[in-house]
Amino acid sequence: MISSPGSSADPCDARDGSVPAWDDAPCPVLVLDSRGRIAGRNRAARRLTASSPSSDVPPSWLAEAHRCHVAGTPDPTAGTPAGTFGSRSYEARPSPTRDGHVAWWLFDRTDLVQAHETVRETRERADAASRLFSTLLSSLNVPRCAEVAARMATDHLAEAAVLITPPTGHRYAVTHALRGRRVVQETRQIDPLTVPGLDEALRGFPPVPARWINPDAIPDWVIPEGFSGPVGSVLVTPLPGHGVPAGALILLRSDTEKGFSPEEEAFARLFASRAGTALSAARLYSEQTAITATLMRELLPPPLSRVHGVDYAGRYRTALDHERVGGDFYDVHPGPDESAETFVALGDVAGKGLDAAVLTGKIRNTLHALLPLASDHLRVLRMLNGALLTSHHARFATLVLASVKRQDGGAVRLRLTSAGHLPPLVVRVDGRVEEMPTQGTLVGALPEVTARTVETVLAPGDTCLLYTDGITEARGGPLGDELFGEERLRQALEGCGGMPGEAMVEHVQMLAAQWLEPGSRHDDMAVVAITAPRGGTSAGDRAPAGGGGRARRTA
């Protein structure tokens, strides 16, 4: 039978064999005297201390626990004394002996400590992986994401890391990171076959085990500048992406560092999968952003200026401030020379946002294709109507078309046609505002389109204003429910006589924006001003013969 820890038997007696049970106890027992020196030990303890140079001195953690026990001042928060003895971990429990010494029973807890350490490392790696993934996904810029991934690899996995993304042509983007140094990015021609496993990793094949890679075979371009000592171990792993590989990661450790353990290789593969996902998301976002920017350039209204002696100005505001395109549009298509008419179109597609913008783009492209027929407004509208009726879109649009030509003396002749749109307003240089009596049916809704074209002449300083209903239907005012309206717009324009077109469209947009109830929803707004420039003409040239500054019906 083995004595319990509370037994009064003296383990010192185990040396003379009088109490063989103590000597045969499976756990080490150390007897410490009042000075903290080893006064006795059983057989298991003797084996444990056989290689100790100070066989009569207990380990420091046990000596401290013994001192507190003898003094009667144990730390109630410290728990059971525990520490290492040799290569093993123990916890110690005291038991008094008959001669006043203390027998410390050492219970081996090495396996438990190792299990706890494994759990701790696993938890830390899982937490690190979660933090890494969050950090990597915080950037949708490919070079920035590659920089973060390489730097974090040196923080958690190796002394140096090299991240390589798929080539563009024959050149690869290479990111070098060295622990504690600045990340270096470059684009260069490389031969993946010169690095064992790199070609396979870039094609998405499983990684080659680190023990299969000869560090001496690593070419110089892989090793970052400032890397200490020769390469001791190398790990090459792919960066999996969304359907296609996102690149490869090379991890380097010097010969003074230990090689990659199986657990570290597994963690490196987990890190690479997260980095590959982040890089793939960043690349996809960059591609979509580039596509969107290209399409947006085609959908945005063009900048306007003077064309063939006539001034044009335009302003555009979408219904939603975070969007750049919507359902309103305008275009100015100059004639081949000053003797030809310039074709102007302003329109409003039913709806808002991207869907309306897509139809807007189709209408603008169709009108551009119909430019050879631009002199016949009604024919252009009918052909556009046919194109919209055969489209899968269920939306309609209103338009106003204008053909503009400068005449001798500085006056400008206009032909205006409305297709379900608000009538153009002509602001004379003396402040008079005239509504052009053109009207017609909207396009994209009915099988037939009818329209009436009117003509007018702009004297130098006169402006013709084309606008969409986002201006007149801006809802606001003192109570927040009143429309800006056509009458209020005409009254505002009466004070704009002789104003440059650029200033006039800016003034109209500002008035509509100020009228809006803060935070309220509104429609897209588009305004175009066609102005006969002042200057370079005499007083007698301001009203050409037959024009008189009045509108004239032509169709």
Side-chain angles (χ1 to χ4, degrees):
M1 157 178 115
I2 300 174
S3 302
S4 69
S7 171
S8 60
D10 189 352
C12 294
D13 296 338
R15 289 175 291 177
D16 56 18
S18 60
V19 188
W22 285 91
D23 209 41
D24 294 335
C27 63
V29 179
L30 292 178
V31 179
L32 303 185
D33 59 21
S34 60
R35 295 181 301 171
R37 293 185 174 274
I38 298 177
R41 58 179 68 84
N42 69 348
R43 183 183 302 167
R46 290 195 295 272
R47 287 197 300 268
L48 186 64
T49 60
S51 59
S52 174
S54 302
S55 58
D56 60 340
V57 178
S60 58
W61 63 270
L62 183 57
E64 178 63 22
H66 179 73
R67 185 188 63 78
C68 293
H69 180 79
V70 171
T73 58
D75 184 355
T77 63
T80 304
T84 59
F85 202 166
S87 61
R88 310 289 292 179
S89 295
Y90 296 91
E91 67 176 17
R93 298 181 182 275
S95 174
T97 64
R98 289 178 299 178
D99 55 2
H101 297 166
V102 178
W104 289 91
W105 296 69
L106 305 183
F107 297 95
D108 195 326
R109 56 195 294 270
T110 304
D111 293 340
L112 178 62
V113 170
Q114 291 177 346
H116 280 300
E117 182 66 18
T118 300
V119 171
R120 183 189 63 79
E121 291 179 354
T122 302
R123 183 181 295 112
E124 286 182 353
R125 286 173 178 168
D127 292 342
S130 178
R131 292 193 301 270
L132 293 174
F133 196 41
S134 299
T135 304
L136 288 170
L137 287 179
S138 64
S139 174
L140 290 176
N141 177 275
V142 175
R144 172 61 178 164
C145 190
E147 176 186 348
V148 171
R151 187 179 66 251
M152 297 183 76
T154 62
D155 292 339
H156 297 275
L157 294 168
E159 292 179 71
V162 182
L163 192 148
I164 305 168
T165 55
T168 301
H170 297 287
R171 301 181 70 83
Y172 293 77
V174 181
T175 302
H176 286 94
L178 188 63
R179 187 177 299 164
R181 300 287 188 89
R182 184 176 62 89
V183 176
V184 177
Q185 294 182 304
E186 61 178 348
T187 301
R188 60 183 300 167
Q189 286 186 326
I190 64 171
D191 183 3
L193 296 175
T194 59
V195 181
L198 178 58
D199 184 58
E200 293 81 358
L202 287 171
R203 289 187 288 169
F205 289 103
V208 175
R211 63 183 182 276
W212 292 5
I213 302 178
N214 180 10
D216 296 334
I218 300 302
D220 292 338
W221 68 263
V222 175
I223 304 174
E225 184 178 355
F227 185 78
S228 59
V231 178
S233 53
V234 183
L235 180 64
V236 180
T237 184
L239 300 173
H242 297 298
V244 295
L249 180 66
I250 304 175
L251 301 176
L252 304 174
R253 287 181 177 177
S254 65
D255 58 355
T256 59
E257 295 284 329
K258 65 177 182 178
F260 293 95
S261 66
E263 294 78 11
E264 289 174 326
E265 289 196 35
F267 182 65
R269 289 194 294 271
L270 175 62
F271 172 85
S273 67
R274 300 294 175 88
T277 301
L279 279 167
S280 185
R283 186 175 298 280
L284 181 61
Y285 176 80
S286 299
E287 292 174 354
Q288 290 176 340
T289 301
I291 293 172
T292 301
T294 301
L295 296 176
M296 197 72 69
R297 284 195 296 269
E298 298 300 319
L299 293 175
L300 286 173
L304 303 183
S305 59
R306 178 169 294 190
V307 176
H308 296 333
V310 181
D311 288 341
Y312 299 89
R315 283 291 183 274
Y316 179 65
R317 177 180 177 180
T318 59
L320 300 176
D321 292 336
H322 64 273
E323 294 183 345
R324 299 180 62 195
V325 296
D328 289 4
F329 67 94
Y330 56 79
D331 274 312
V332 174
H333 301 280
D337 52 48
E338 293 188 2
S339 64
E341 292 180 321
T342 294
F343 182 64
V344 181
L346 178 140
D348 183 0
V349 172
K352 307 178 185 68
L354 184 60
D355 290 339
V358 171
L359 184 56
T360 293
K362 180 172 183 177
I363 293 175
R364 294 174 67 187
N365 289 335
T366 303
L367 289 175
H368 191 273
L370 295 175
L371 283 179
L373 309 177
S375 60
D376 189 342
H377 289 181
L378 183 57
R379 187 178 180 187
V380 169
L381 292 174
R382 286 174 175 170
M383 297 189 73
L384 175 62
N385 185 64
L388 295 182
L389 289 177
T390 59
S391 170
H392 68 279
H393 293 282
R395 299 175 183 267
F396 58 86
T398 65
L399 291 97
V400 60
L401 307 179
S403 291
V404 186
K405 183 179 179 181
R406 182 181 172 93
Q407 296 180 322
D408 294 339
V412 174
R413 183 172 64 89
L414 287 180
R415 291 190 301 114
L416 300 163
T417 305
S418 172
H421 201 82
L422 295 168
L425 299 176
V426 173
V427 183
R428 300 299 177 182
V429 71
D430 59 5
R432 288 179 295 119
V433 178
E434 301 174 7
E435 181 179 296
M436 297 294 100
T438 173
Q439 59 184 11
T441 55
L442 49 80
V443 294
L446 302 174
E448 293 293 330
V449 171
T450 61
R452 184 176 68 182
T453 300
V454 298
E455 285 189 12
T456 190
V457 174
L458 301 180
D462 291 349
T463 296
C464 178
L465 193 73
L466 315 179
Y467 57 95
T468 60
D469 59 8
I471 299 293
T472 56
E473 294 181 2
R475 189 176 295 274
L479 300 179
D481 59 352
E482 186 178 356
L483 298 180
F484 187 71
E486 296 179 41
E487 183 60 31
R488 188 172 281 104
L489 175 61
R490 282 194 290 268
Q491 292 176 0
L493 291 176
E494 288 176 356
C496 297
M499 182 181 291
E502 184 74 23
M504 188 176 297
V505 296
E506 184 73 26
H507 182 64
V508 170
Q509 283 274 27
M510 181 188 68
L511 290 176
Q514 290 176 342
W515 185 259
L516 285 171
E517 179 74 12
S520 63
R521 298 175 61 87
H522 62 86
D523 200 357
D524 300 326
M525 300 179 184
V527 185
V528 170
I530 305 170
T531 304
R534 305 175 72 174
T537 59
S538 63
D541 296 328
R542 301 182 76 84
R550 304 295 297 174
R552 178 164 54 90
R553 177 179 174 179
T554 61

